[in-house]
Amino acid sequence: MGKLQVLDLEGNLISGALPSQFSGLRKLKVLNLGFNKIFGGMPSSLSNCTGLQVLSLAGNQLNGSIPGFVGGFMDLSGLHLSFNLLSGSIPVEIGDNCGKMEHLELSGNYLTGGIPREIAKCSGLKTLLLYSNLLEEVLPSELGQLSQLQVMDVSRNNFGGPIPPQISNCTSLSILVLANSWNPLPNVSILGGSYSMEKLALPVD
């Protein structure tokens, strides 16, 4: 399949691990295996698909960390890894060759650490979705350099410190969600009472 450019198998019942070899898909531009039952890690041979523009593995059961080789895809415009079991930190390499990146979606995982300042190098970024993780530290002021950013949702994490005023430089921003970013605890106090989050009806977009 040396000429294959688009492989879209989203929304099926495909199970098992990703194949260990991706050596024959040199011209692949879109790999969409989202919302299946794929588990395991992301094999290093995936880095052989150097022409990838869209990589979507969202809605599976992938575990392990996000590999640094995702920063080697120079034409990547969309990285969709939300709703998996990924852990560890967001790799700083993600800012190495992200000039064409428009959509970065890593929500609904177990990612820790802070938001790498290198994301500010993704000058064309329009969507940044990092909600429902275990991220902490502070929101980097460098996010204010993302002049094309339209949607940023970093809610339901564990950030500290103030909201950086530089975010006001994101003049294209139309949706900013910071809900529960500084106190995503399982028990919250409302009207003087203590309630479990499981008992609260929270809006879900």
Side-chain angles (χ1 to χ4, degrees), residues 16-18 37-44 57-67 69 81-89 108-111:
L18 291 170
K37 296 184 177 182
I38 299 171
F39 55 80
M42 297 173 60
S44 59
L57 300 172
N60 282 288
Q61 301 169 28
L62 295 177
N63 56 27
S65 59
I66 299 174
F69 67 69
L81 300 177
S82 297
F83 310 117
N84 279 288
L85 303 173
L86 296 169
S87 58
S89 59
N109 284 288
Y110 296 92
L111 299 176

Side-chain angles (χ1 to χ4, degrees), residues 1 27 33 35 38 45 53 55 65 77 96-97 109-110 151 160 162 178 180 184 195 198 202:
M1 288 185 156
K27 294 187 177 181
L33 302 176
F35 298 95
I38 299 171
S45 63
Q53 298 176 6
L55 174 59
S65 59
S77 63
D96 287 351
N97 298 288
N109 284 288
Y110 296 92
V151 178
L178 303 175
N180 288 70
Y195 298 85
E198 295 178 354
L202 298 177

Side-chain angles (χ1 to χ4, degrees), residues 20-41:
S20 59
Q21 295 297 326
F22 281 88
S23 57
L25 301 174
R26 298 288 183 178
K27 294 187 177 181
L28 196 64
K29 296 181 178 179
V30 177
L31 177 60
N32 184 3
L33 302 176
F35 298 95
N36 282 287
K37 296 184 177 182
I38 299 171
F39 55 80

Side-chain angles (χ1 to χ4, degrees), residues 107-108 115 128-135 139 152-159 176-184 203 205:
S107 303
I115 298 176
L128 178 61
L129 301 181
L130 303 175
Y131 63 85
S132 295
N133 275 289
L134 302 173
L135 297 172
L139 296 180
M152 182 169 75
D153 188 342
V154 296
S155 62
R156 299 175 188 174
N157 280 286
N158 193 26
F159 294 111
L176 174 62
V177 186
L178 303 175
N180 288 70
S181 292
W182 278 263
N183 186 27
D205 296 332

Side-chain angles (χ1 to χ4, degrees), residues 112-188:
T112 56
I115 298 176
R117 302 178 188 277
E118 287 77 5
I119 284 182
K121 297 178 182 179
C122 307
S123 57
L125 197 64
K126 297 179 179 179
T127 304
L128 178 61
L129 301 181
L130 303 175
Y131 63 85
S132 295
N133 275 289
L134 302 173
L135 297 172
E136 48 189 8
E137 300 181 15
V138 298
L139 296 180
S141 60
E142 286 82 357
L143 292 176
Q145 300 174 24
L146 299 174
S147 60
Q148 303 300 313
L149 194 63
Q150 299 174 9
V151 178
M152 182 169 75
D153 188 342
V154 296
S155 62
R156 299 175 188 174
N157 280 286
N158 193 26
F159 294 111
I163 300 172
Q166 290 84 353
I167 288 182
S168 63
N169 296 328
C170 301
T171 54
S172 299
L173 198 62
S174 61
I175 298 177
L176 174 62
V177 186
L178 303 175
N180 288 70
S181 292
W182 278 263
N183 186 27
L185 298 177
N187 293 297
V188 295

Side-chain angles (χ1 to χ4, degrees), residues 1-2 33 46 50 88 103 105 114 170 194 198:
M1 288 185 156
L33 302 176
L46 187 58
T50 55
H103 307 286
E105 302 179 5
C170 301
S194 182
E198 295 178 354

Side-chain angles (χ1 to χ4, degrees), residues 7-10 14 34 55 59 64 68-69 74 78 88 92-93 106-107 120 134-136 138 150 159 162 191 201 204:
L7 179 58
D8 188 345
L9 301 173
E10 179 179 313
I14 298 172
L55 174 59
F69 67 69
M74 300 186 66
V92 297
E93 293 90 345
L106 307 176
S107 303
L134 302 173
L135 297 172
E136 48 189 8
V138 298
Q150 299 174 9
F159 294 111
L191 299 178
V204 178

